[in-house]
Amino acid sequence: MQGVTSVRVLAEPSDAVLVGRALDRDDFAEEALYRRHAPRVLGILTRLVGSKSEADDLLHDTFILAFRTLGRLRNAESFGSWVTGIAANHAKQFLRRQRIGRRLGILPSGQDASFDLLASPRCSPETATELAKLQATVNRMPVKVRIAWSLRYVEGFSLAEVAETISCSLATAKRRIAEGREAVEAVVSMAVIE
Amino acid sequence: MSLELRPPVKNLLDDDSIGDRVEQVRRRMRRRRPGRNVRFALGVGLAAVVAAIALIALYVRDAPEPRLASIENTSFEVEMHRIAEGVEVWVSPSTRLDIARSVGRGLVTLTIGRVLFDIQPSNERWTIVSGDVRIGVIDTRFSVERLSAATVVEVERGIVEVESGSIIGGRVLLEAGQNIRVGRSREPASVPDAGSALVLDVAVADPPRRRPAATRSKPSWLRLMEARRYEDAYAALGPGGIRAASEAANDPAALLKLSDLSRRLSRHEDSVVPLARLVDRYPESPDAAAAAFTHGKVALVELRRPVEAIDAFTRALQLKPSRTLEEELYVRLVQANVMAGRREDGRRAQLEYRARFAGGRYEEEMERWLSQP
């Protein structure tokens, strides 16, 4: 290390800076935004729809739409929650189409990323069994309830974050989460988030 | 058993494929592959064209009129009718139903009474209507009873889909051993039969929602257990102890609680009694496989009775365990066989495991057990 007198650590640019640069057609900024937020968004999508391949497609569409409509983002610092909202909306549309497709018998009903299949190796078989029951219950929830409850109880979002993500009032978010919780409580024992 | 899941649920999950998938999606984005919406629109367009062609073809073929028939059982005995190829109905006394069939579809309207359906898989899609309840059939044997104020659906084999405005979410899938009682609108939900694991999440009509009877009049031992007074709860089981309480328990949840109570007090010998009872009495319960597994584990680890454990694990494998549980069952079966001196049986279980879970995560552990002197 001889000859090195000082090391300057560069702070990572904020989302606001990256959004500004992406709007100026800076490919690096777009790439950086994707790398920063895509893993989290893909995790959420996978757990919401229970399928890896479908979640991949939804992630693709989410970021295509996000970068195409970046100019509409009012608060550039909130890119993360904005893109999560787009993803949740895509998931909602997908789940509705899937439900119709299943009724018409034109879509398979299998899930390759259900809670029990994603269960951590640390989980006991009993926990995995409970997770399987939980997934079956979530699958039966109305789509809007499923999204709100999942964001709160699967992802750990605050009530305000849920309302912001699904673009509804706090009261509506609360009502949907409560509806989901009621359905879950009848099947598995789960701690309540206050 | 009866675990409490702690949110957020994502902390219990593990998905190590995220990084690779993020990269793949990014590569696709760079290739400017059309988005899902565009592909969906193209798909819908194509489907519309195909549907239009199919409709025209049907019109040209001059599709046959629906065929209608009625069955009314005015006798005092159950009557069996074959209403289509592979579709048999057992009609109870004082029952009336109407049947309509057209190409690929069958519709049965139950006006009153009880009918047991046995429908073999075919290309024909059957729907049963009873009041405001619609039942879609997916290869099954099940009964439908239309009462004056409710419809009861009970599944013996396969799966049916029950739709009604009185069910939360509008629809529910029932599997073998499950049942549902759906009241007409404006009538309270009925209490489902004990022994049906799914009923708790489907037996719902207009609010206010009633609690199952079991929760309204809890036995004293259960109340004490919930208050964490385990010794007192055990004493409250009475002179017959765990055996009598297990005999008296009338649902899988109560049996699981009894087992939990015994294990909390390290009464391992007692803890297997309610588990064995659950497996014998409610083999269709979603908890049955896990109960048999726990029985086996207690027998193997706490009671040092490997032969009993082998029986329990073998039974659990027959009870449709989840894939995760199934994998664990195989490794414990190998362990129990080795501990019982049945190395050859253990080897057979290992081969079965390999066939079911190629490259499974317990391969190494199995080998370790089998190589023990």
Side-chain angles (χ1 to χ4, degrees), chain A residues 31 34-35 46 54 56-57 61 97 103 118 120 123 127 133 140 153-154 182 186-187 189-191, chain B residues 3-5 7-10 12 14 21-23 26 28 30 36 40 171 200-201 209 287 325:
Chain A
E31 185 77 23
Y34 178 82
R35 298 210 171 276
T46 305
E54 300 295 354
D56 290 355
D57 278 356
D61 294 354
R97 280 202 301 267
R103 284 192 180 193
L118 288 181
S120 155
C123 283
T127 304
K133 283 196 232 166
R140 286 195 295 272
Y153 276 84
V154 179
E182 190 182 357
V187 181
S189 175
M190 190 166 197
Chain B
L3 284 168
E4 185 179 74
L5 296 176
V9 174
K10 72 171 179 182
L12 299 169
D14 195 5
R21 288 161 54 208
V22 163
E23 283 304 319
R26 187 61 185 154
R28 266 169 52 193
R30 289 200 198 98
R36 171 184 285 274
F40 183 72
R171 63 181 276 275
L200 289 178
D201 61 5
R209 194 174 157 197
D287 292 318
L325 180 58

Side-chain angles (χ1 to χ4, degrees), chain A residues 5 15 36 67:
Chain A
T5 53
D15 278 357
R36 185 174 292 174
F67 291 140

